[in-house]
Amino acid sequence: MEPRREGNEAQRGDEKSEPLSSTDEAGELAQRTPWREGGGRFMEPLEGKMTRTPGREAISTKRERIAELARQEPKLVLTTLAHYIDVVWLREAYRRTRRRAAAGVDGVTAAQYEVHLEANLESLLERFQSGCYRAPAVRRVHLPKYGAGKTRPIGIPTLEDKILQRAVLMVLEPVYEQDFLDCSYGFRPGRSAHQALDALWRGLMDTQGGWVIDLDIQSFFDTVDWACLRSFLDQRVRDGVIRRVIGKWLQAGVMEQGAVHYPGEGTPQGGVLSPLLANIYLHEVLDTWFDQVVRPRLGGHAFLVRYADDAVLGFEREEEARRVMSVLPKRFGRYGLTLHPEKTRLVEFHRPDRGNGPRSGGSFTMLGFTHFWGHSRKGRWVVKRKTAPERFSRALRQIGRWCQLHRHQCLADQQKALNQKLRGHYSYYGVTGNARALGRFHHQVERHWRKWLHRRSHATKMTWEHFQRLLRYYPLAPPRVVHTIYRRAAKP
């Protein structure tokens, strides 16, 4: 059974569902046939490279069918999607769910849930389809913010809730991936923060800087307006079963210190579905508005790069940047959102040799990197990126704390753990032009390690000479640039 289609009022009477034929065997379409989107764009298949089982092949084929239907009919409203979710679908959703996470309000762990996995999934499916599923409250804990003296609230849903949210996400994702624009990179399959950084770098280099709006939404995930979100969902998905369970998740409530309170806005705390709902919201509020309303009225070049609720807008002309900057608070306020008064700012980001003064280059931060103008090895002006100071300090504090707590472990175990942390740091911050910050980070990690080895015994001291000899047997991973623009230039 295919999703029912709704079009214009004049066409609804004689419109019929058409079966989608597969041009290949099950599962092969996702591996060999790219989807063609509007405007000549290509998108990679939703499924990643994985060992496929017959159940996963069937799920991949269903997701391809949903995506093809949504791609062929951009204005189509889907009213029947819940029938795709069956026990096999839930089993795959369970496989994709992180099972080592903390338990929710019911205290059920993955090990306990797996004892009667098939019976639990069948019960979950029956409650979902019949509308009897009750969304449990989300357990909220507060984790300290390093160096800020504050805490960050974290929501922990129950395992069963995460399974069902993952199953619904697997249905909705193929639909909305056909609608989302290329400027959006956060929490989307096949897209990453480094792709957003590359798009930002290319946009800045193409315009030779210009003017940049560094946009930050204040408490975005806690202030999403439900009425606006429902209206955005109505434009694409009106399946009663799915929309009912989404409404239950929005109103599930939050348990904190034994008491449950029910916020009147925001997306599900810690929910698997929350990033998709956030992208749907900002797709309408920012992406589509900028692409269809703002950019056609501009005389100069402009671009937008958004990763979740973190966005940067670049403009070639100052007057156009200031005009958009003055309109943005009204645009976001219309949908119940507020721009952060201190973090949202307009930055002059011209090349220093083309700006209005010696400090016209400016700088701004996005996704943990500070962007600024500098000289390449050949002496040309290029946009450079380095680890943002607050991210650098936070990472060092975390490693210093770890060295303090584990200083009595054997050296081999400490070396292994520190190398894992260093490689993780390099894998994200190891971009072209950031080698100096990587070297400083490596040196500071050595200092922290020696400091706490020096303090683990009153009998012996860890001098620098002794520590240098120790590093010959237990070396730390050297800095490494993982994401280089030169490798991509050689192999486009």
Side-chain angles (χ1 to χ4, degrees):
M1 181 178 179
E2 297 299 325
R4 191 187 310 158
R5 299 190 264 184
E6 291 185 3
N8 298 328
E9 293 293 335
Q11 298 175 346
R12 288 183 181 176
D14 57 355
E15 192 176 35
K16 298 181 181 179
S17 299
E18 298 180 2
L20 296 173
S21 59
S22 175
T23 58
D24 208 340
E25 296 183 2
E28 292 297 316
L29 185 63
Q31 297 179 359
R32 298 205 301 247
T33 306
W35 297 332
R36 189 171 182 83
E37 294 184 308
R41 297 174 296 172
F42 285 91
M43 188 181 69
E44 293 296 327
L46 286 170
E47 299 298 322
K49 296 180 180 179
M50 62 178 70
T51 303
R52 295 175 180 267
T53 64
R56 296 181 200 172
E57 289 182 356
I59 292 173
S60 175
T61 303
K62 291 179 181 179
R63 283 163 57 85
E64 294 285 349
R65 188 178 298 131
I66 297 171
E68 186 176 356
L69 180 61
R71 174 181 55 81
Q72 292 178 349
E73 301 286 350
K75 301 299 182 181
L76 178 65
V77 178
L78 303 175
T79 60
T80 55
L81 286 172
H83 66 278
Y84 282 104
I85 301 178
D86 52 16
V87 175
V88 177
W89 195 282
L90 287 177
R91 192 182 302 117
E92 176 64 13
Y94 175 77
R95 188 190 68 84
R96 299 186 183 189
T97 300
R98 185 168 172 261
R99 296 186 286 276
R100 298 180 62 183
V105 295
D106 59 358
V108 177
T109 63
Q112 295 171 336
Y113 199 82
E114 283 183 352
V115 175
H116 304 288
L117 179 61
E118 294 301 319
N120 289 331
L121 294 180
E122 291 177 1
S123 172
L124 177 60
L125 177 63
E126 192 278 330
R127 284 177 283 142
F128 165 69
Q129 293 178 339
S130 65
C132 297
Y133 179 78
R134 298 184 62 181
V138 177
R139 183 167 67 92
R140 176 180 287 178
V141 297
H142 291 266
L143 300 180
K145 280 187 175 181
Y146 290 93
K150 302 179 181 179
T151 60
R152 181 188 302 276
I154 302 294
I156 305 176
T158 63
L159 176 65
E160 193 170 63
D161 208 38
K162 288 187 285 188
I163 296 171
L164 187 55
Q165 286 195 35
R166 176 70 65 180
V168 173
L169 175 67
M170 290 163 56
V171 171
L172 296 182
E173 202 172 55
V175 177
Y176 285 101
E177 276 300 309
Q178 315 311 310
D179 298 342
F180 292 155
L181 302 182
D182 287 340
C183 62
S184 171
Y185 291 88
F187 305 106
R188 293 182 57 187
R191 296 199 162 210
S192 66
H194 287 101
Q195 291 178 341
L197 291 167
D198 290 344
L200 177 59
W201 186 85
R202 290 194 301 269
L204 294 172
M205 290 296 295
D206 290 343
T207 58
Q208 294 298 301
W211 292 81
V212 169
I213 297 178
D214 185 6
L215 188 149
D216 186 272
I217 306 173
Q218 192 168 7
S219 302
F220 168 71
F221 287 93
D222 296 330
T223 57
V224 169
D225 185 88
W226 291 351
C228 295
L229 178 60
R230 292 189 181 101
S231 68
F232 296 154
L233 290 171
D234 285 341
Q235 298 175 16
R236 207 60 162 122
V237 176
R238 295 182 188 173
D239 183 286
V241 178
I242 291 179
R243 291 296 301 276
R244 181 168 55 242
V245 75
I246 291 177
K248 292 180 179 180
W249 283 324
L250 292 176
Q251 304 175 26
V254 177
M255 176 176 286
E256 190 172 6
Q257 297 180 350
V260 180
H261 65 276
Y262 300 90
E265 56 188 5
T267 56
Q269 278 277 334
V272 178
L273 195 62
S274 183
L276 177 63
L277 297 179
N279 275 333
I280 294 172
Y281 203 87
L282 288 177
H283 170 74
E284 296 292 337
V285 175
L286 180 60
D287 300 355
T288 305
W289 172 73
F290 183 81
D291 186 66
Q292 299 180 3
V293 179
V294 175
R295 188 150 49 190
R297 301 181 181 181
L298 303 180
H301 178 69
F303 66 92
L304 165 66
V305 176
R306 182 177 66 82
Y307 189 92
D309 60 332
D310 192 5
V312 167
L313 294 80
F315 300 87
E316 184 179 1
R317 301 180 179 179
E318 178 183 359
E319 62 276 9
E320 294 175 346
R322 294 191 180 279
R323 189 164 71 246
V324 174
M325 183 70 175
S326 64
V327 174
L328 279 174
K330 303 176 184 177
R331 174 67 182 179
F332 281 84
R334 179 181 175 184
Y335 298 96
L337 301 176
T338 305
L339 296 182
H340 198 289
E342 298 178 357
K343 296 182 180 180
T344 300
R345 59 196 184 102
L346 180 63
V347 180
E348 184 180 359
F349 199 72
H350 284 104
R351 276 175 42 174
D353 61 336
R354 296 185 179 182
N356 298 324
R359 299 185 62 82
S360 61
S363 65
F364 65 94
T365 300
M366 183 181 184
L367 296 177
F369 288 90
T370 298
H371 297 73
F372 63 99
W373 284 101
H375 286 290
S376 68
R377 292 183 178 180
K378 295 183 179 180
R380 301 171 182 170
W381 284 107
V382 294
V383 177
K384 288 194 171 185
R385 298 166 291 185
K386 65 179 180 180
T387 310
E390 61 273 13
R391 295 292 187 92
F392 189 95
S393 301
R394 185 178 69 181
L396 275 181
R397 283 194 297 269
Q398 291 174 341
I399 287 186
R401 180 63 175 167
W402 186 92
C403 291
Q404 178 185 8
L405 296 177
H406 298 83
R407 63 185 182 272
H408 294 297
Q409 289 185 356
C410 68
L411 294 177
D413 291 343
Q414 291 190 48
Q415 179 213 23
K416 180 179 179 181
L418 287 174
N419 279 337
Q420 288 178 342
K421 297 177 185 298
L422 282 170
R423 293 190 184 102
H425 186 87
Y426 302 154
S427 66
Y428 184 78
Y429 292 103
V431 301
T432 300
N434 198 33
R436 181 175 298 179
L438 297 181
R440 287 197 301 114
F441 187 81
H442 179 271
H443 177 66
Q444 292 297 328
V445 170
E446 287 184 343
R447 288 172 57 89
H448 279 287
W449 195 22
R450 190 210 68 85
K451 170 185 174 181
W452 292 108
L453 290 179
H454 179 73
R455 296 188 180 187
R456 73 174 184 171
S457 174
H458 294 288
T460 59
K461 301 298 182 181
M462 180 62 66
T463 63
W464 273 107
E465 292 76 14
H466 186 191
F467 184 68
Q468 292 298 327
R469 292 195 298 270
L470 180 145
L471 286 178
R472 298 175 189 173
Y473 297 95
Y474 301 100
L476 295 180
R480 177 171 175 258
V481 174
V482 179
H483 309 278
T484 170
I485 60 175
Y486 303 110
R487 186 182 303 127
R488 288 191 296 273
K491 297 180 180 180

